[in-house]
Amino acid sequence: MKKLFLSLLVVSIVLIGFAKADLSTLTFYTMDLETGKSEIFPIVYLTVEPIENIGLRIEDYLTLDHDTVSLGSMSLAIPRLYYLYYYGDQFEALAGNFRSKHYNSRKINMLRVGGFYDYNLGIEASYNFNDFKILGRYNYNTYEERNEFGGMFSYNPEKLNSSIYFSKKGANYDLSLDGSYKFELSTAKFDVFGSVAFYGESLFSSPGTYFTNPTFLVGTLFEWNKLSSGFQYAKQGSWNIDFDFGDPNKGSQWVLNTYLNYNLTSDLAIGAFFDWNSIRNNYGTKITYGDLELILSNGDCDGGLSGAQRIELNYSNYFTIDFENAFAGLLKKEPIVKEESYPSIAEIKNNSNLGDDVTVKGIIATDTGRLDEDVTYIVDKTGGYMVWGYMTEGLKRGDEVIINGYLKEYYGTTEIVVNNVEVISSNNEVPIINVTALEVFSGKYESAMVRIKGEVSSVEKYSFMLRNEGNQIKIYLKKGTNISLDKLSYGDEVTVLGIVAQYQGEWEILPRSQDDIILDDN
């Protein structure tokens, strides 16, 4: 452990002058409340970016054993993962020892069939154009001592994510397909997903035999008001089902997972689950509050700890150290003002899935709590995200921030559950995007700060309808904004500024204050 920390410290100090340098930790805490048995699993991430979008990434699991390298009388631990990266607008590349993450089916209990989710010692490159993505990869499998080649082709238009994957591993061939599709029925929201995978030696010589023993997975996620549920069934064939480390279902030939949650608040949920597999069944209840989770079950609810865990407490924590400003403060120098070195919000939305960890740089569009408790919005000139969590407290309109967290869907809106916030500056101009009602309805500008012009077609107590280019869109007033519509009448030409949101499947715009509703004759 001491050797590993020394390794990271040396690398950090050597590279501290670069454009971007930060050290983050993600720690999982698990405790069996019956026996007191516990486990702490910390993961460390070191990012050094000397040139925008080009850098070095080191990732390590601190509790695992490490190989070492000798430097004279000193030994340094070798990190588990280390790679160079380039993230461009359309082209991306990784080279080194990294984890490949490409899949569409890892949605319930982190169970997966097909796709790429493995350790790669080699190269991976991809190119995005319109709704398509092409990826190629090379991996040297040190365990099998063999070269492996693969590729992926994806088609991802709005609401649909689909991919086909192919790998040659020695004399064997992997082939898999997966996809997911989101749709709505009235106020209910569905995410249907599935995958199928094949593995064998006879893809070309005997394809009829090759396709007779597939591994497959089917499932769906469902949301309605404060209820959310999920169902999935997976059956193993020629390809192994990929179970998460802590999944008690691992090793099963088939598994059925179901759950039902009731969301009391945006942070607090209580639910029930039932897992049935080829070995045993497991059922119980789960209470979640933010990053804290309490599980009570009839049997083993954790495949990562030895023994049977019937009452378990889980907690995760994410923390980041910004080396530039940390060392600037230590040396009593002015904090370093970073140049733009983060992808745009639109790019992040195009390349991220629910559950992914993201880091977003942008401007706060409205004071925290103005539109909802513990909620604000981070925006740039390409889009926006709703952000939620106690760490957003005190954020003001115009604050330039870097926010890290993970993506979660809350009543149909993708939000960032915040792990860390860094305020860079204050009193900045909030980026505003000019839109039409039709563009709002497309969903492209969810949570963005927009400007729209039109004619008032009706006025209610807390809302009014705006006619824009033949389409009608609701302008809704949140209680905390104290906006009055007394001076607004049918037929008025107005300009409205606000956040794009949706409620029960209906798109609307949320002004922040009285100044966001402008009568065009004033």
Side-chain angles (χ1 to χ4, degrees):
M1 182 70 74
K2 291 181 180 179
K3 292 178 180 179
L4 179 60
F5 280 117
L6 181 59
S7 304
L8 294 174
L9 181 60
V10 169
V11 173
S12 304
I13 293 174
V14 169
L15 301 174
I16 201 65
F18 286 173
K20 174 186 175 183
D22 58 56
L23 181 70
S24 302
T25 60
L26 173 62
T27 306
F28 298 95
Y29 305 86
T30 302
M31 173 173 283
D32 184 339
L33 296 183
E34 283 191 300
T35 65
K37 184 182 298 182
S38 63
E39 181 180 78
I40 299 176
F41 192 79
I43 308 173
V44 67
Y45 308 90
L46 173 66
T47 303
V48 179
E49 195 170 285
I51 303 172
E52 183 177 353
N53 299 329
I54 302 175
L56 168 70
R57 176 86 161 179
I58 294 174
E59 303 177 13
D60 208 283
Y61 310 128
L62 299 187
T63 57
L64 302 183
D65 293 332
H66 293 75
D67 294 330
T68 60
V69 59
S70 297
L71 295 176
S73 60
M74 181 185 300
S75 293
L76 296 179
I78 301 174
R80 288 274 166 171
L81 304 175
Y82 43 88
Y83 56 94
L84 299 173
Y85 65 82
Y86 169 73
Y87 298 122
D89 292 337
Q90 293 180 291
F91 180 75
E92 298 179 359
L94 303 175
N97 191 10
F98 56 92
R99 186 155 202 172
S100 186
K101 300 178 182 179
H102 304 284
Y103 49 81
N104 289 310
S105 66
R106 200 168 182 253
K107 295 177 181 284
I108 300 178
N109 289 8
M110 300 301 179
L111 186 150
R112 175 186 62 89
V113 166
F116 296 143
Y117 187 70
D118 53 6
Y119 295 104
N120 241 29
L121 178 59
I123 300 173
E124 188 173 274
S126 64
Y127 180 73
N128 295 277
F129 55 100
N130 298 326
D131 295 326
F132 299 92
K133 181 175 184 176
I134 297 177
L135 178 142
R137 67 199 300 253
Y138 162 75
N139 174 43
Y140 179 72
N141 187 319
T142 55
Y143 182 76
E144 300 285 346
E145 296 185 346
R146 67 186 184 191
N147 298 315
E148 299 178 354
F149 302 89
M152 178 188 77
F153 178 78
S154 298
Y155 175 58
N156 302 306
E158 185 180 359
K159 297 184 179 181
L160 172 67
N161 292 290
S162 60
S163 299
I164 181 169
Y165 314 84
F166 173 78
S167 292
K168 183 181 185 301
K169 299 178 178 180
N172 297 318
Y173 297 89
D174 292 352
L175 177 67
S176 62
L177 304 89
D178 65 15
S180 66
Y181 181 71
K182 297 180 180 180
F183 65 94
E184 300 177 5
L185 293 176
S186 185
T187 59
K189 299 177 175 62
F190 296 85
D191 183 357
V192 179
F193 56 93
S195 56
V196 60
F198 308 89
Y199 179 83
E201 299 181 359
S202 55
L203 175 61
F204 300 108
S205 61
S206 181
T209 304
Y210 184 88
F211 290 109
T212 57
N213 190 27
T215 300
F216 67 88
L217 178 151
V218 292
T220 184
L221 302 177
F222 167 80
E223 285 190 17
W224 178 70
N225 291 335
K226 293 189 175 183
L227 289 175
S228 61
S229 68
F231 164 89
Q232 73 178 4
Y233 175 78
K235 184 178 185 300
Q236 182 171 307
S238 58
W239 181 307
N240 289 329
I241 299 172
D242 183 79
F243 294 95
D244 183 61
F245 172 75
D247 192 339
N249 299 289
K250 61 186 178 183
S252 304
Q253 295 298 304
W254 58 266
V255 60
L256 183 150
N257 304 117
T258 63
Y259 71 87
L260 177 66
N261 290 337
Y262 182 77
N263 303 289
L264 298 166
T265 68
S266 59
D267 201 29
L268 178 62
I270 184 169
F273 65 90
F274 177 73
D275 297 334
W276 186 23
N277 59 54
S278 60
I279 302 173
R280 66 180 71 88
N281 62 63
N282 190 32
Y283 57 87
T285 186
K286 185 181 297 184
I287 302 171
T288 304
Y289 182 74
D291 295 323
L292 187 68
E293 179 182 70
L294 176 65
I295 304 174
L296 299 93
S297 72
N298 70 311
D300 188 13
C301 63
D302 192 324
L305 290 176
S306 61
Q309 285 71 52
R310 296 185 300 174
I311 308 175
E312 184 175 85
L313 190 68
N314 297 308
Y315 176 71
S316 61
N317 174 264
Y318 190 91
F319 179 73
T320 299
I321 300 173
D322 184 329
F323 278 128
E324 298 104 307
N325 288 327
F327 275 74
L330 180 65
L331 300 173
K332 297 183 179 180
K333 294 181 179 180
E334 290 296 321
I336 298 171
V337 178
K338 294 185 177 182
E339 297 295 329
E340 178 66 35
S341 57
Y342 295 86
S344 70
I345 289 176
E347 291 170 338
I348 294 172
K349 287 191 172 188
N350 288 335
N351 296 291
S352 301
N353 298 306
L354 293 178
D356 285 355
D357 184 83
V358 296
T359 299
V360 182
K361 182 179 181 181
I363 306 295
I364 295 298
T366 183
D367 297 355
T368 298
R370 174 62 64 91
L371 299 180
D372 255 319
E373 184 178 0
D374 293 332
V375 167
T376 187
Y377 294 83
I378 184 172
V379 300
D380 64 13
K381 61 185 179 180
T382 68
Y385 271 116
M386 182 201 310
V387 293
W388 175 87
Y390 74 92
M391 295 190 73
T392 64
E393 184 178 353
L395 292 180
K396 300 292 184 183
R397 180 196 299 191
D399 286 347
E400 184 182 19
V401 298
I402 299 172
I403 289 179
N404 173 266
Y406 66 90
L407 298 180
K408 177 183 177 183
E409 190 168 286
Y410 177 66
Y411 295 115
T413 298
T414 301
E415 67 175 4
I416 300 175
V417 180
V418 178
N419 292 319
N420 189 64
V421 177
E422 177 190 350
V423 179
I424 301 173
S425 61
S426 301
N427 301 317
N428 295 281
E429 184 177 348
V430 177
I432 299 174
I433 304 171
N434 293 315
V435 296
T436 64
L438 198 59
E439 288 174 322
V440 172
F441 297 151
S442 74
K444 177 181 179 181
Y445 293 112
E446 178 184 86
S447 299
M449 183 69 193
V450 301
R451 178 188 292 111
I452 188 169
K453 296 184 178 183
E455 180 182 278
V456 176
S457 58
S458 66
V459 181
E460 303 291 339
K461 186 175 181 180
Y462 297 112
S463 66
F464 65 93
M465 298 299 294
L466 189 73
R467 183 182 293 111
N468 169 267
E469 297 187 0
N471 297 289
Q472 303 240 27
I473 187 166
K474 178 185 282 187
I475 312 299
Y476 184 77
L477 313 181
K478 288 281 191 173
K479 185 182 295 184
T481 60
N482 298 318
I483 298 174
S484 171
L485 299 179
D486 292 346
K487 297 182 179 180
L488 209 61
S489 302
Y490 173 82
D492 284 345
E493 295 286 338
V494 297
T495 298
V496 177
L497 310 180
I499 299 293
V500 175
Q502 59 172 315
Y503 178 71
Q504 294 186 347
E506 180 182 17
W507 288 102
E508 56 191 22
I509 295 176
L510 310 178
R512 304 161 300 173
S513 66
Q514 194 72 51
D515 293 340
D516 283 345
I517 301 176
I518 307 162
L519 283 167
D520 286 358
D521 58 355
N522 285 354

